[in-house]
Short mmCIF file of all heavy atoms in Angstrom, two decimals:
data_model
loop_
_atom_site.label_atom_id
_atom_site.label_comp_id
_atom_site.label_asym_id
_atom_site.label_seq_id
_atom_site.Cartn_x
_atom_site.Cartn_y
_atom_site.Cartn_z
N HIS A 1 -6.62 5.79 -4.85
CA HIS A 1 -6.09 4.85 -5.84
C HIS A 1 -4.74 5.32 -6.36
O HIS A 1 -3.79 4.54 -6.45
CB HIS A 1 -7.08 4.69 -6.99
CG HIS A 1 -6.61 3.74 -8.04
ND1 HIS A 1 -6.03 4.16 -9.20
CD2 HIS A 1 -6.63 2.38 -8.08
CE1 HIS A 1 -5.71 3.10 -9.93
NE2 HIS A 1 -6.06 2.02 -9.28
N GLY A 2 -4.61 6.59 -6.68
CA GLY A 2 -3.35 7.13 -7.18
C GLY A 2 -2.22 7.01 -6.18
O GLY A 2 -1.11 6.58 -6.51
N CYS A 3 -2.49 7.37 -4.94
CA CYS A 3 -1.46 7.29 -3.89
C CYS A 3 -1.06 5.84 -3.64
O CYS A 3 0.14 5.52 -3.55
CB CYS A 3 -1.97 7.91 -2.60
SG CYS A 3 -2.22 9.69 -2.68
N ALA A 4 -2.03 4.96 -3.53
CA ALA A 4 -1.73 3.55 -3.26
C ALA A 4 -1.00 2.90 -4.42
O ALA A 4 -0.06 2.13 -4.22
CB ALA A 4 -3.02 2.80 -2.95
N THR A 5 -1.40 3.20 -5.64
CA THR A 5 -0.76 2.62 -6.81
C THR A 5 0.69 3.05 -6.91
O THR A 5 1.57 2.24 -7.25
CB THR A 5 -1.54 2.97 -8.08
OG1 THR A 5 -2.88 2.47 -7.96
CG2 THR A 5 -0.91 2.37 -9.31
N ALA A 6 0.97 4.31 -6.60
CA ALA A 6 2.35 4.78 -6.60
C ALA A 6 3.18 4.01 -5.57
O ALA A 6 4.30 3.59 -5.85
CB ALA A 6 2.40 6.28 -6.31
N LEU A 7 2.63 3.80 -4.40
CA LEU A 7 3.33 3.04 -3.36
C LEU A 7 3.53 1.59 -3.80
O LEU A 7 4.61 1.03 -3.64
CB LEU A 7 2.56 3.10 -2.05
CG LEU A 7 3.24 2.36 -0.91
CD1 LEU A 7 4.28 3.25 -0.25
CD2 LEU A 7 2.22 1.90 0.11
N CYS A 8 2.50 1.00 -4.39
CA CYS A 8 2.57 -0.41 -4.81
C CYS A 8 3.60 -0.62 -5.92
O CYS A 8 4.13 -1.71 -6.07
CB CYS A 8 1.20 -0.88 -5.28
SG CYS A 8 -0.03 -1.02 -3.96
N ALA A 9 3.88 0.41 -6.70
CA ALA A 9 4.84 0.30 -7.80
C ALA A 9 6.28 0.26 -7.30
O ALA A 9 7.18 -0.17 -8.03
CB ALA A 9 4.66 1.46 -8.78
N PHE A 10 6.50 0.69 -6.08
CA PHE A 10 7.85 0.73 -5.52
C PHE A 10 8.33 -0.69 -5.27
O PHE A 10 7.60 -1.53 -4.76
CB PHE A 10 7.86 1.54 -4.22
CG PHE A 10 9.23 1.76 -3.66
CD1 PHE A 10 10.09 2.67 -4.25
CD2 PHE A 10 9.65 1.07 -2.55
CE1 PHE A 10 11.36 2.87 -3.74
CE2 PHE A 10 10.92 1.26 -2.02
CZ PHE A 10 11.78 2.17 -2.62
N ASP A 11 9.56 -0.97 -5.62
CA ASP A 11 10.13 -2.31 -5.45
C ASP A 11 10.81 -2.40 -4.08
O ASP A 11 12.01 -2.23 -3.96
CB ASP A 11 11.14 -2.61 -6.56
CG ASP A 11 11.60 -4.05 -6.55
OD1 ASP A 11 10.88 -4.91 -6.01
OD2 ASP A 11 12.69 -4.32 -7.07
N GLY A 12 10.00 -2.64 -3.07
CA GLY A 12 10.52 -2.75 -1.71
C GLY A 12 9.86 -3.91 -0.99
O GLY A 12 9.09 -4.67 -1.59
N ASP A 13 10.14 -4.04 0.27
CA ASP A 13 9.56 -5.11 1.09
C ASP A 13 8.04 -4.91 1.16
O ASP A 13 7.57 -3.89 1.68
CB ASP A 13 10.17 -5.05 2.48
CG ASP A 13 9.64 -6.12 3.41
OD1 ASP A 13 8.39 -6.26 3.52
OD2 ASP A 13 10.45 -6.79 4.04
N PRO A 14 7.25 -5.86 0.66
CA PRO A 14 5.79 -5.70 0.64
C PRO A 14 5.19 -5.48 2.03
O PRO A 14 4.25 -4.69 2.17
CB PRO A 14 5.28 -7.01 0.03
CG PRO A 14 6.42 -7.50 -0.80
CD PRO A 14 7.65 -7.09 -0.04
N GLY A 15 5.72 -6.13 3.05
CA GLY A 15 5.19 -5.94 4.40
C GLY A 15 5.40 -4.53 4.90
O GLY A 15 4.50 -3.92 5.49
N VAL A 16 6.58 -3.99 4.68
CA VAL A 16 6.89 -2.62 5.09
C VAL A 16 6.02 -1.64 4.31
O VAL A 16 5.44 -0.71 4.88
CB VAL A 16 8.40 -2.31 4.88
CG1 VAL A 16 8.68 -0.82 5.07
CG2 VAL A 16 9.24 -3.15 5.81
N LEU A 17 5.90 -1.86 3.01
CA LEU A 17 5.10 -0.94 2.18
C LEU A 17 3.63 -0.98 2.58
O LEU A 17 2.96 0.06 2.60
CB LEU A 17 5.27 -1.29 0.70
CG LEU A 17 6.67 -1.07 0.15
CD1 LEU A 17 6.76 -1.59 -1.28
CD2 LEU A 17 7.05 0.40 0.20
N ARG A 18 3.12 -2.16 2.89
CA ARG A 18 1.71 -2.28 3.31
C ARG A 18 1.48 -1.50 4.60
O ARG A 18 0.49 -0.79 4.74
CB ARG A 18 1.33 -3.75 3.49
CG ARG A 18 -0.15 -3.95 3.74
CD ARG A 18 -0.52 -5.42 3.90
NE ARG A 18 -0.21 -6.19 2.72
CZ ARG A 18 0.71 -7.17 2.67
NH1 ARG A 18 1.40 -7.51 3.74
NH2 ARG A 18 0.92 -7.84 1.56
N ARG A 19 2.40 -1.62 5.55
CA ARG A 19 2.27 -0.87 6.81
C ARG A 19 2.37 0.63 6.57
O ARG A 19 1.66 1.41 7.19
CB ARG A 19 3.31 -1.35 7.82
CG ARG A 19 3.00 -2.72 8.41
CD ARG A 19 3.91 -3.11 9.55
NE ARG A 19 5.31 -3.24 9.19
CZ ARG A 19 5.85 -4.30 8.60
NH1 ARG A 19 5.10 -5.34 8.28
NH2 ARG A 19 7.14 -4.34 8.31
N ARG A 20 3.24 1.03 5.66
CA ARG A 20 3.36 2.46 5.33
C ARG A 20 2.06 2.98 4.75
O ARG A 20 1.63 4.09 5.05
CB ARG A 20 4.51 2.69 4.36
CG ARG A 20 5.84 2.36 4.97
CD ARG A 20 6.76 3.55 4.97
NE ARG A 20 7.95 3.26 5.75
CZ ARG A 20 9.16 3.17 5.25
NH1 ARG A 20 9.36 3.37 3.97
NH2 ARG A 20 10.18 2.92 6.04
N TRP A 21 1.42 2.19 3.89
CA TRP A 21 0.13 2.61 3.33
C TRP A 21 -0.89 2.76 4.45
O TRP A 21 -1.64 3.74 4.49
CB TRP A 21 -0.39 1.63 2.29
CG TRP A 21 -1.84 1.88 1.98
CD1 TRP A 21 -2.89 1.15 2.39
CD2 TRP A 21 -2.37 3.01 1.28
NE1 TRP A 21 -4.07 1.74 1.97
CE2 TRP A 21 -3.77 2.89 1.29
CE3 TRP A 21 -1.81 4.11 0.65
CZ2 TRP A 21 -4.62 3.81 0.68
CZ3 TRP A 21 -2.65 5.04 0.05
CH2 TRP A 21 -4.03 4.88 0.07
N GLU A 22 -0.95 1.80 5.33
CA GLU A 22 -1.93 1.85 6.42
C GLU A 22 -1.73 3.08 7.29
O GLU A 22 -2.69 3.75 7.67
CB GLU A 22 -1.86 0.57 7.25
CG GLU A 22 -2.37 -0.65 6.48
CD GLU A 22 -2.02 -1.98 7.13
OE1 GLU A 22 -1.32 -1.99 8.17
OE2 GLU A 22 -2.43 -3.02 6.58
N LEU A 23 -0.48 3.42 7.59
CA LEU A 23 -0.18 4.62 8.38
C LEU A 23 -0.57 5.89 7.62
O LEU A 23 -1.19 6.79 8.17
CB LEU A 23 1.30 4.67 8.75
CG LEU A 23 1.76 3.72 9.83
CD1 LEU A 23 3.29 3.72 9.93
CD2 LEU A 23 1.15 4.10 11.16
N PHE A 24 -0.19 5.93 6.35
CA PHE A 24 -0.52 7.10 5.53
C PHE A 24 -2.03 7.28 5.43
O PHE A 24 -2.57 8.36 5.67
CB PHE A 24 0.09 6.95 4.13
CG PHE A 24 -0.44 7.96 3.16
CD1 PHE A 24 0.02 9.27 3.18
CD2 PHE A 24 -1.39 7.61 2.22
CE1 PHE A 24 -0.48 10.22 2.28
CE2 PHE A 24 -1.88 8.54 1.32
CZ PHE A 24 -1.42 9.84 1.36
N ALA A 25 -2.74 6.22 5.06
CA ALA A 25 -4.18 6.30 4.85
C ALA A 25 -4.93 6.64 6.13
O ALA A 25 -5.89 7.40 6.11
CB ALA A 25 -4.69 4.98 4.26
N ALA A 26 -4.47 6.10 7.26
CA ALA A 26 -5.13 6.38 8.53
C ALA A 26 -5.02 7.85 8.91
O ALA A 26 -5.94 8.41 9.51
CB ALA A 26 -4.54 5.51 9.64
N GLY A 27 -3.92 8.49 8.56
CA GLY A 27 -3.71 9.89 8.92
C GLY A 27 -4.13 10.88 7.86
O GLY A 27 -4.14 12.09 8.10
N ALA A 28 -4.46 10.40 6.67
CA ALA A 28 -4.82 11.29 5.57
C ALA A 28 -6.24 11.83 5.74
O ALA A 28 -7.12 11.13 6.24
CB ALA A 28 -4.70 10.54 4.25
N PRO A 29 -6.46 13.06 5.32
CA PRO A 29 -7.82 13.60 5.39
C PRO A 29 -8.72 12.92 4.35
O PRO A 29 -8.24 12.32 3.40
CB PRO A 29 -7.63 15.08 5.06
CG PRO A 29 -6.37 15.13 4.26
CD PRO A 29 -5.51 14.01 4.78
N GLY A 30 -10.00 13.01 4.55
CA GLY A 30 -10.95 12.49 3.56
C GLY A 30 -11.29 11.03 3.69
O GLY A 30 -11.96 10.47 2.83
N GLY A 31 -10.84 10.38 4.74
CA GLY A 31 -11.21 8.98 4.95
C GLY A 31 -10.61 8.01 3.94
O GLY A 31 -11.25 7.03 3.57
N LEU A 32 -9.39 8.26 3.49
CA LEU A 32 -8.77 7.40 2.48
C LEU A 32 -8.67 5.95 2.92
O LEU A 32 -8.76 5.05 2.08
CB LEU A 32 -7.37 7.92 2.11
CG LEU A 32 -7.28 9.27 1.43
CD1 LEU A 32 -5.85 9.53 0.96
CD2 LEU A 32 -8.25 9.41 0.29
N ALA A 33 -8.50 5.70 4.19
CA ALA A 33 -8.31 4.33 4.68
C ALA A 33 -9.51 3.43 4.35
O ALA A 33 -9.34 2.23 4.12
CB ALA A 33 -8.06 4.32 6.18
N GLY A 34 -10.68 3.97 4.29
CA GLY A 34 -11.87 3.17 4.03
C GLY A 34 -12.23 3.01 2.56
O GLY A 34 -13.20 2.34 2.23
N LEU A 35 -11.45 3.61 1.67
CA LEU A 35 -11.81 3.62 0.25
C LEU A 35 -11.22 2.48 -0.55
O LEU A 35 -11.55 2.29 -1.72
CB LEU A 35 -11.41 4.96 -0.37
CG LEU A 35 -12.05 6.18 0.29
CD1 LEU A 35 -11.53 7.45 -0.35
CD2 LEU A 35 -13.56 6.10 0.21
N GLY A 36 -10.35 1.69 0.07
CA GLY A 36 -9.73 0.56 -0.62
C GLY A 36 -8.71 -0.08 0.29
O GLY A 36 -8.52 0.34 1.43
N GLU A 37 -8.05 -1.10 -0.23
CA GLU A 37 -7.03 -1.79 0.57
C GLU A 37 -5.86 -2.19 -0.29
O GLU A 37 -6.01 -2.50 -1.47
CB GLU A 37 -7.61 -3.01 1.27
CG GLU A 37 -8.07 -4.10 0.33
CD GLU A 37 -8.61 -5.32 1.06
OE1 GLU A 37 -7.99 -5.79 2.03
OE2 GLU A 37 -9.66 -5.82 0.61
N VAL A 38 -4.68 -2.17 0.32
CA VAL A 38 -3.46 -2.64 -0.32
C VAL A 38 -3.28 -4.09 0.12
O VAL A 38 -3.28 -4.39 1.31
CB VAL A 38 -2.25 -1.77 0.08
CG1 VAL A 38 -0.95 -2.41 -0.35
CG2 VAL A 38 -2.38 -0.37 -0.50
N VAL A 39 -3.16 -4.99 -0.86
CA VAL A 39 -3.01 -6.41 -0.56
C VAL A 39 -1.85 -6.99 -1.38
O VAL A 39 -1.49 -6.45 -2.42
CB VAL A 39 -4.30 -7.21 -0.84
CG1 VAL A 39 -5.43 -6.74 0.04
CG2 VAL A 39 -4.70 -7.11 -2.29
N GLY A 40 -1.31 -8.09 -0.91
CA GLY A 40 -0.23 -8.76 -1.62
C GLY A 40 -0.77 -9.87 -2.50
O GLY A 40 -1.71 -10.57 -2.12
N VAL A 41 -0.18 -10.02 -3.68
CA VAL A 41 -0.48 -11.13 -4.58
C VAL A 41 0.84 -11.73 -5.03
O VAL A 41 1.85 -11.03 -5.13
CB VAL A 41 -1.33 -10.73 -5.80
CG1 VAL A 41 -2.71 -10.27 -5.40
CG2 VAL A 41 -0.65 -9.67 -6.63
N ARG A 42 0.84 -13.02 -5.29
CA ARG A 42 2.02 -13.71 -5.82
C ARG A 42 1.95 -13.71 -7.34
O ARG A 42 0.94 -14.12 -7.92
CB ARG A 42 2.07 -15.15 -5.33
CG ARG A 42 2.26 -15.28 -3.87
CD ARG A 42 3.72 -15.42 -3.53
NE ARG A 42 3.88 -15.31 -2.09
CZ ARG A 42 4.95 -14.80 -1.54
NH1 ARG A 42 5.95 -14.38 -2.28
NH2 ARG A 42 5.03 -14.71 -0.24
N ARG A 43 3.00 -13.27 -7.96
CA ARG A 43 3.07 -13.26 -9.42
C ARG A 43 3.12 -14.69 -9.93
O ARG A 43 3.89 -15.51 -9.43
CB ARG A 43 4.31 -12.52 -9.90
CG ARG A 43 4.31 -11.08 -9.55
CD ARG A 43 5.58 -10.45 -10.06
NE ARG A 43 5.70 -9.10 -9.51
CZ ARG A 43 6.66 -8.27 -9.83
NH1 ARG A 43 7.61 -8.64 -10.68
NH2 ARG A 43 6.70 -7.08 -9.32
N ALA A 44 2.31 -14.98 -10.92
CA ALA A 44 2.29 -16.33 -11.48
C ALA A 44 3.62 -16.67 -12.13
O ALA A 44 4.08 -17.81 -12.05
CB ALA A 44 1.16 -16.44 -12.50
N GLY A 45 4.27 -15.71 -12.74
CA GLY A 45 5.52 -15.97 -13.47
C GLY A 45 6.70 -16.32 -12.59
O GLY A 45 7.40 -17.30 -12.83
#
């Protein structure tokens, strides 16, 4: 959660950031990839 939230806070291209998370989580020890998912949402405002 901490790693993903830090990545999600970055103001960059959501598609690129989502792929970066997937690469990071897949290679991280401890099975991080299966513990949650990074998804895109549209801000109502």
